[in-house]
Amino acid sequence: MRYILRFLWNATRGHHLAPWRSPYLRWRIETYTGVKMNSIGFPEFCGFMWREKAELLRFLKWTGEMERYARVKPKNP
């Protein structure tokens, strides 16, 4: 859960209270759906989140898994 929150916090940097304004998330939505970045507002963002909630949760779980692989704790001898 911590890794999911870390990804969301980093992805919305500068726009934590209004994630639909985040250039990174808007770019990701544009590449996923084909909707132009400039036309993504609050209603489009919420609609996308609702329609793709299962895929988004799967993606967030995957990012957490990759984060755990990237930050392996060193073993003590």
Side-chain angles (χ1 to χ4, degrees):
M1 182 66 168
R2 184 182 75 187
Y3 299 106
I4 292 172
L5 293 176
R6 181 185 294 175
F7 172 81
L8 291 173
W9 185 259
N10 290 335
T12 59
R13 184 163 300 170
H15 303 281
H16 299 301
L17 298 177
W20 59 90
R21 293 185 188 142
S22 168
Y24 176 73
L25 289 181
R26 288 167 51 159
W27 171 74
R28 297 294 295 185
I29 292 171
E30 179 183 32
T31 58
Y32 187 78
T33 64
V35 175
K36 294 297 179 193
M37 228 169 100
N38 297 332
S39 65
I40 298 173
F42 179 73
E44 293 83 12
F45 183 80
C46 289
F48 172 77
M49 297 291 285
W50 182 253
R51 279 191 316 276
E52 302 295 334
K53 61 185 174 265
E55 287 296 316
L56 290 170
L57 285 173
R58 190 172 68 85
F59 170 74
L60 290 172
K61 287 178 185 176
W62 177 80
T63 58
E65 197 174 304
M66 293 299 110
E67 182 77 17
R68 283 191 292 276
Y69 284 125
R71 298 184 189 272
V72 176
K73 294 181 181 179
K75 295 179 182 177
N76 292 334

